[in-house]
Amino acid sequence: MRDEILEQPGVAARLIGDRRDAIAAIAAAVRARQPDYLVISARGTSDHAAIYAQYVLGARHRLPVALSTPSLLSLYGVAPRFANALVIGISQSGASPDVVGVVAAARQQGALTIAIANDPRSPLAMTAEHVIDLGAGPERAVAATKTYTGELVAIALLSAALSPDPAADAALLLLPEALARATDAEPAVRRVAGDQASMTRCIVLGRGFHYATAREWALKLKELAYVLADPYSAADFRHGPLALVEPGFAVLAVAPSGATSADLVALLTRLKAEQGADLLVLSDRAETRGLGRWALPIPPDLPEWLVPIVSIVAGQLHAYHLTLAKGLDPETPRHIGKVTLTR
Amino acid sequence: MRDEILEQPGVAARLIGDRRDAIAAIAAAVRARQPDYLVISARGTSDHAAIYAQYVLGARHRLPVALSTPSLLSLYGVAPRFANALVIGISQSGASPDVVGVVAAARQQGALTIAIANDPRSPLAMTAEHVIDLGAGPERAVAATKTYTGELVAIALLSAALSPDPAADAALLLLPEALARATDAEPAVRRVAGDQASMTRCIVLGRGFHYATAREWALKLKELAYVLADPYSAADFRHGPLALVEPGFAVLAVAPSGATSADLVALLTRLKAEQGADLLVLSDRAETRGLGRWALPIPPDLPEWLVPIVSIVAGQLHAYHLTLAKGLDPETPRHIGKVTLTR
């Protein structure tokens, strides 16, 4: 798993270098169809890439994005009407029948379909009209890492191709180096993980673009370190769950500079001062990191929409080292396998 | 709060009796516009009503439903293009600026808009073109109960009006009595809550129509009993979080008969036999209840799409009595208030 975390700069560099033309052709097909909205079908880690797409394609192209509910088709036998929709399936393995089913129904109805997968010969890739092959190489660890950031890079490349802009293209080229710098946090991560070795539950906060990172960080903590990590948008968290936080309760926060910063800083300040939360703050901004009992850096100077691609690296390393600190093996999480086939 | 839980049969009866004509007129406006898809803007408990709508309107009318991401507008300043969309805002208070903002942007763009709220003079109700007034009377408890089931009844009535069907109309009339029977479980709920008084974390499972109940039950446990209750679709749960469950780990499940039953029963059987989970099973089916260390009933003989309106009652009572069993006061949860204004 650690090897695959460290492979991420190379995976991103290859995607950015090799997939531009293929993605430009897909973007041209999307522009030709002018979809009213998007539906994304995905599960688990790939569902967090779908959440990233919800914000990136919403903020940069004003596209409403629905996350599909595959059981409507797989259990209730009802295919939604996909009139004027673009339907994207995202899956590392490309194998889960419920995810494939949504894309198959959409294509049968004549909707434009795209698969994002790490196996161009998988059922998902064979089902969709267009395919973005992540080319991340085999992912052997049960916990997905390089395919997650690969999925995010693919979505960012699609966004850049939909509205060509030299600034976006230049920013994308910064990603491999920023991913490499994100792994520099490993010694700091190891110290934090050592301090938190007895943690059994926590909240993970993020908002907007950074909600995807909160969700994915929480999933890694659950599947590897068996910490019941509950992710929340900072807004939804105020509608009730805030009551949970008592002195010493661990709250992890993805709080980079940008549009969500003031909201997160206000909430974290309150959680610390009034409720005694033990904060772990992930930010590029030193002042925000200063709110935390613990803090981890995000490499600076990326535009906000690309930050989730690098901010998750500290989360991956944190879950990995917390698992080791608990005396568990991150390579063999109990009860789960690499490919999950849900119906 | 308990009084308001017990008011739910009356709230449902009034909605079904008094709002049919208004909702029929709204349904006629929806049919006239033939929207391609829906966007729903909501937070907290009302967001779980939105999830119910996602399944009901998907399964019964083949409508794709997107849950809106209000921060795109409120923090990033970007209004999605709502071409050919029906946009619904759901809120007990009708006051939260981010939820109102989405509906305002949609109406300004000419999209059809509906507010579902308990205050017809609230900003949300004044913003939308059409309003379904819950008429639930003032809700005084911080934890929403009767407005949640009221929101679900409003959505069910809208669905019935969109595709008139005598069987659906007849089934709706069963709801007040079924809600009353659901409260009969209170003595059993109190015993379960007593056994679980030391619980600090749990998983709550549901799928399809019943995922909304899992989400809402978990929220009640968080905001009242300070239990870190993490809700999952049974499918997404297999994609990683399954690893969390060790002997004695509490898993609560919404597992009624119907399309999701076989999937839930298979998962619960595994969680019990292979992972030693302590199951609390909510079902109308005695055989499914038999899987649990604890079990609670759902009134039988409702069509599956209406079950979520009554299944949450046991969850509300469970959260209420678990709060008492922990020596806490369900009327005064710490740190939160009745109306949460998020931006």
Side-chain angles (χ1 to χ4, degrees):
Chain A
M1 180 182 167
R2 185 171 173 278
D3 291 350
E4 289 170 353
I5 292 172
L6 300 180
E7 280 173 39
Q8 293 177 108
V11 170
R14 279 204 304 281
L15 263 169
I16 295 164
D18 298 351
R19 295 290 184 269
R20 288 230 173 195
D21 292 350
I23 291 173
I26 295 171
V30 173
R31 279 198 304 268
R33 292 284 281 271
Q34 300 203 310
D36 285 339
Y37 69 106
L38 254 88
V39 174
I40 305 184
S41 185
R43 289 274 185 209
T45 287
S46 297
D47 205 35
H48 306 152
I51 290 170
Y52 175 67
Q54 223 179 359
Y55 286 89
V56 167
L57 303 177
R60 290 175 45 85
H61 314 287
R62 300 184 61 200
L63 275 165
V65 179
L67 304 183
S68 88
T69 45
S71 68
L72 281 178
L73 185 64
S74 62
L75 297 184
Y76 296 94
V78 181
R81 271 188 219 95
F82 291 116
N84 304 317
L86 164 61
V87 178
I88 302 181
I90 309 178
S91 169
Q92 175 271 131
S93 69
S96 196
D98 52 358
V99 171
V100 176
V102 172
V103 174
R107 190 168 183 190
Q108 202 179 9
Q109 292 179 30
L112 189 65
T113 52
I114 302 173
I116 299 177
N118 198 32
D119 178 354
R121 286 162 306 282
S122 62
L124 181 64
M126 305 294 277
T127 300
E129 186 176 351
H130 300 277
V131 181
I132 303 177
D133 172 13
L134 297 177
E139 189 172 58
R140 295 204 168 81
V142 171
T145 54
K146 65 179 179 176
T147 56
Y148 174 68
T149 50
E151 288 165 356
L152 266 51
V153 170
I155 291 158
L157 288 168
L158 182 62
S159 173
L162 282 171
S163 305
D165 164 12
D169 289 341
L172 284 162
L173 295 176
L174 301 173
L175 282 172
E177 172 66 19
L179 282 161
R181 290 192 54 195
T183 63
D184 295 344
E186 191 170 11
V189 168
R190 198 183 289 119
R191 284 191 297 274
V192 173
D195 283 358
Q196 293 185 314
S198 63
M199 177 167 72
T200 60
R201 53 181 204 161
C202 67
I203 294 288
V204 189
L205 297 175
R207 201 175 172 194
F209 284 122
H210 315 295
Y211 179 51
T213 301
R215 290 279 298 259
E216 176 60 8
W217 189 359
L219 177 57
K220 289 287 160 286
L221 289 169
K222 282 190 250 213
E223 63 185 353
L224 298 174
Y226 314 144
V227 171
L228 188 57
D230 199 3
Y232 262 96
S233 123
D236 278 314
F237 187 65
R238 290 182 174 93
H239 287 260
L242 185 66
L244 275 169
V245 177
E246 57 198 7
F249 198 107
V251 175
L252 286 46
V254 187
S257 45
T260 69
S261 177
D263 186 51
L264 261 291
V265 166
L267 179 57
L268 295 176
T269 302
R270 173 191 169 156
L271 287 172
K272 180 181 173 180
E274 297 176 27
Q275 301 184 223
D278 263 2
L279 304 179
L280 164 54
V281 179
L282 180 59
S283 185
D284 58 320
R285 197 165 163 264
E287 200 181 330
T288 308
R289 288 199 302 273
L291 287 170
R293 172 168 170 188
W294 304 283
L296 293 170
I298 297 173
D301 302 329
L302 280 175
E304 191 182 348
W305 66 288
L306 296 178
V307 168
I309 300 171
V310 301
S311 62
I312 189 55
V313 175
Q316 295 165 340
L317 289 167
H318 178 255
Y320 177 85
H321 284 289
L322 189 63
T323 305
L324 294 176
K326 285 176 173 289
L328 302 166
D329 178 2
E331 306 302 338
T332 57
R334 62 193 181 197
H335 307 306
I336 56 174
K338 181 62 188 163
V339 177
T340 306
L341 304 179
T342 44
R343 284 165 209 282
Chain B
M1 179 182 169
R2 185 172 174 278
D3 291 348
E4 289 170 352
I5 292 172
L6 300 180
E7 280 173 40
Q8 292 178 108
V11 170
R14 277 204 306 281
L15 263 168
I16 294 164
D18 298 352
R19 295 288 185 270
R20 289 230 172 193
D21 292 350
I23 291 173
I26 295 172
V30 173
R31 280 198 303 268
R33 292 283 282 271
Q34 300 204 309
D36 285 339
Y37 70 106
L38 253 88
V39 174
I40 304 184
S41 184
R43 289 276 184 207
T45 287
S46 298
D47 205 35
H48 306 152
I51 290 170
Y52 175 67
Q54 220 178 1
Y55 286 90
V56 168
L57 303 177
R60 291 174 46 84
H61 315 287
R62 301 183 60 199
L63 276 166
V65 179
L67 304 182
S68 89
T69 45
S71 69
L72 280 177
L73 185 64
S74 61
L75 297 183
Y76 295 95
V78 180
R81 272 188 218 94
F82 291 115
N84 303 318
L86 164 61
V87 178
I88 302 181
I90 309 177
S91 170
Q92 175 270 130
S93 69
S96 195
D98 50 0
V99 171
V100 177
V102 172
V103 174
R107 190 166 185 192
Q108 201 178 10
Q109 291 179 33
L112 189 64
T113 52
I114 302 173
I116 299 177
N118 199 31
D119 179 355
R121 287 161 304 282
S122 62
L124 180 64
M126 304 295 277
T127 300
E129 185 177 350
H130 300 279
V131 182
I132 303 177
D133 172 12
L134 298 177
E139 188 172 59
R140 295 204 167 81
V142 171
T145 54
K146 64 178 180 176
T147 56
Y148 174 68
T149 49
E151 288 165 355
L152 266 52
V153 170
I155 291 158
L157 288 169
L158 181 62
S159 173
L162 282 171
S163 304
D165 164 13
D169 288 341
L172 283 163
L173 295 177
L174 301 172
L175 283 172
E177 173 64 21
L179 282 162
R181 291 190 53 193
T183 62
D184 294 344
E186 191 171 11
V189 167
R190 199 184 289 119
R191 284 191 298 274
V192 173
D195 282 358
Q196 293 185 315
S198 63
M199 177 168 72
T200 60
R201 53 179 204 163
C202 67
I203 294 288
V204 189
L205 297 174
R207 202 177 170 193
F209 283 122
H210 315 293
Y211 179 50
T213 300
R215 291 279 297 261
E216 176 61 7
W217 190 359
L219 178 57
K220 288 289 159 283
L221 289 168
K222 283 190 250 212
E223 64 185 351
L224 296 176
Y226 315 144
V227 172
L228 189 56
D230 199 3
Y232 263 96
S233 122
D236 278 313
F237 187 65
R238 290 182 174 91
H239 287 259
L242 185 66
L244 274 169
V245 177
E246 59 199 7
F249 197 106
V251 175
L252 286 46
V254 187
S257 46
T260 69
S261 177
D263 186 51
L264 262 289
V265 166
L267 179 57
L268 296 177
T269 301
R270 175 193 169 156
L271 287 172
K272 179 181 174 182
E274 297 176 26
Q275 302 186 220
D278 262 0
L279 303 179
L280 164 54
V281 179
L282 180 59
S283 186
D284 58 318
R285 199 167 161 262
E287 200 182 329
T288 308
R289 288 199 302 273
L291 288 169
R293 173 169 171 189
W294 304 281
L296 293 170
I298 297 173
D301 302 328
L302 281 175
E304 191 182 348
W305 67 288
L306 296 178
V307 168
I309 300 172
V310 301
S311 63
I312 189 56
V313 174
Q316 295 166 341
L317 288 167
H318 177 255
Y320 178 84
H321 284 288
L322 189 64
T323 305
L324 293 176
K326 285 176 173 289
L328 301 166
D329 178 3
E331 306 301 339
T332 57
R334 62 195 181 196
H335 306 308
I336 56 174
K338 181 65 188 161
V339 177
T340 307
L341 304 179
T342 44
R343 283 165 210 281

